[in-house]
Amino acid sequence: MTTSSLTKAVLFHELGGPEVLKVEDVPLRQPGPGEVLFKVEAIGLNRAEALFRAGGYYYQPTLPGSRLGYEAAGVVEAVGDGVTAFRPGDSVMAAADFDFGVHGVYGEQVLLPEDSVVNRPAGVDAVTSAAAWLTYSTAYGGLVETAALAPGDHVVITSASSGVGTAALQTALRLGAIPIATTRGEAKRQRLLELGAAHVITTDSEDLVKEVRRITGGRGAEVAFDAIGGPGFAALGDALTPGGTAVLYGWLDPRPVQLSMNWPQTVHTYANGVLARTPDHRRRASSFIGSGLADGTLAPVIAATFDGLERMPDAHRLMESNTHTGKIVVTLG
C-alpha cells in the first residue's frame, strides 16, 4: 500500500505565455513497482517546454493542471518493488523519454518509471547534470547514431547557440568533425567561435549555400543538423555534398518543411525520446556523455541560472527572448 503527501510543482491550467506557470501543492505518493522517487536539485529548460506551454508542441497538454519539464537532476529518495538499478542516495537525472504533461519534472520531488531515470556521471554537479542529458543525448543520437558523422566531415549546425546547438558543436569536435554554426545575426558570432565553431554563418546577411560551398572548397557539407525545419530546410539540402545526410530534430519554424532537389541525399527526422526508450541507446549515450564530461571535451554551456520554482516564468521569458547562448537552469535549494 502506498501513502500520499504533498510536494510543490509547476503547473499550468491554460495555454499561454510564461505567466500561466504556477507553483502549487500537488499530491505525491510513494513509488510503486518499477518506480523511482527523487528529490530535484536542478532543472534544465528546453525549447520544447515553451512550445508545449503555448500549445505549439507535437502533442497537446491535458488541461487544467498539466505538468511540464523534461530534464532534472537530483538524489533518489525511495524506490519501488523490483527496482534494482537505483537505491536511495544515488545521484540521478531524468532521461527525458516520457510525456512531460504527465511526468513533468518542474517540481521539488519527481516520481518516474525506472526506465526514465539514468545515473549522473560520477563527480558531476546537479546544475551540469541538469544541462547535460537531453542536449548531449540529442546531439549524440542525431549526429552519431543517425547521421554517422565521421572525422573530417563538415556538419552544418543550425540554431547553434541553443542548448542542443552548443552540445552539437562539442560533439562534432569530439568526433574530429568540422562544425559550421549558423545564427541569424552578428551578435552571437564571436561567442560561437569561442565555443568551438570552425565557421559561423549569419543567415540574415549571408547566403547559407554559397558560404558552405566556399568553406568546403565547393564540395558541400556531409551532414546538416537542423532544429528549425520549415522552408529553410531546402537550403540545408542544397548545401550538402551529393550523398550527404540531413537530420531534422526540431521545428522552430512551424511552416511545412521543404526538401531540396539536391539528390541523392538522406533525410532523417529525429525524435530523441523514442531512441531514449531503448536500453541500449541509454547505455551508449550515458557512456558517451559521462566520458566526455570526465575528460572535459563535453562541458555544458550555462546561459543563466534561476533559484526556486517561483522563478520559472522568468526563466521561460529569457528562453523565449533568444538572447542567450546555451542552457537555462533553475536550481532548488
Side-chain angles (χ1 to χ4, degrees):
M1 178 178 180
T2 60
T3 59
S4 295
S5 58
L6 292 176
T7 191
K8 292 190 181 299
V10 174
L11 306 180
F12 63 103
H13 301 284
E14 59 182 325
L15 301 179
E19 70 279 356
V20 303
L21 301 175
K22 308 295 182 184
V23 179
E24 301 180 17
D25 290 326
V26 298
L28 177 71
R29 59 177 176 80
Q30 288 299 301
E35 293 181 327
V36 175
L37 173 67
F38 68 88
K39 180 179 176 61
V40 175
E41 297 178 314
I43 300 165
L45 272 62
N46 295 282
R47 182 70 60 172
E49 293 146 21
L51 294 171
F52 189 68
R53 185 207 68 226
Y57 202 46
Y58 75 93
Y59 60 87
Q60 293 296 302
T62 300
L63 300 173
S66 178
R67 297 290 294 260
L68 190 61
Y70 261 147
E71 198 166 17
V75 177
V76 174
E77 292 188 320
V79 300
D81 291 343
V83 174
T84 58
F86 307 100
R87 60 184 181 182
D90 284 352
S91 296
V92 296
M93 48 192 178
D97 59 355
F98 45 79
D99 180 335
F100 56 21
V102 177
H103 294 297
V105 299
Y106 287 10
E108 293 179 335
Q109 294 161 289
V110 172
L111 185 64
L112 290 176
E114 180 182 14
D115 290 345
S116 295
V117 180
V118 293
N119 286 299
R120 277 158 53 179
V124 178
D125 63 86
V127 170
T128 301
S129 297
W133 175 258
L134 188 56
T135 52
Y136 287 108
S137 65
T138 300
Y140 167 79
L143 293 176
V144 178
E145 300 211 357
T146 304
L149 185 67
D153 284 353
H154 287 83
V155 52
V156 180
I157 299 168
T158 69
S159 192
S161 62
S162 68
V164 174
T166 56
L169 290 175
Q170 295 176 10
T171 299
L173 290 171
R174 191 172 193 230
L175 296 170
I178 305 163
I180 304 171
T182 79
T183 184
R184 287 186 294 182
E186 288 290 332
K188 297 178 180 179
R189 177 189 290 272
Q190 185 57 40
R191 181 59 175 145
L192 289 171
L193 290 170
E194 292 169 358
L195 291 172
H199 308 274
V200 177
I201 299 172
T202 55
T203 55
D204 283 351
S205 59
E206 296 179 300
D207 185 295
L208 173 70
V209 177
K210 288 182 179 179
E211 284 300 298
V212 172
R213 295 287 176 184
R214 179 186 65 80
I215 290 165
T216 60
R219 188 181 68 256
E222 283 76 20
V223 175
F225 189 55
D226 184 37
I228 301 170
F233 190 70
L236 286 172
D238 292 344
L240 291 177
T241 189
T245 300
V247 178
L248 177 61
Y249 73 91
W251 56 94
L252 295 177
D253 186 336
R255 293 175 293 175
V257 173
Q258 293 183 10
L259 298 180
S260 169
M261 295 298 290
N262 176 24
W263 292 346
Q265 62 179 255
T266 301
V267 176
H268 292 278
T269 55
Y270 177 78
N272 194 62
V274 174
L275 200 58
R277 294 186 189 107
T278 64
D280 284 345
H281 171 74
R282 291 198 301 274
R283 173 180 52 80
R284 292 191 297 268
S286 293
S287 179
F288 183 85
I289 295 168
S291 60
L293 293 173
D295 66 20
T297 55
L298 303 181
V301 178
I302 308 298
T305 58
F306 294 82
D307 186 31
L309 291 177
E310 68 278 1
R311 298 296 308 280
M312 193 63 74
D314 295 328
H316 270 240
R317 290 185 187 98
L318 175 59
M319 181 164 56
E320 293 191 327
S321 75
N322 295 317
T323 59
H324 65 289
T325 297
K327 195 81 164 180
I328 299 168
V329 176
V330 174
T331 58
L332 280 70

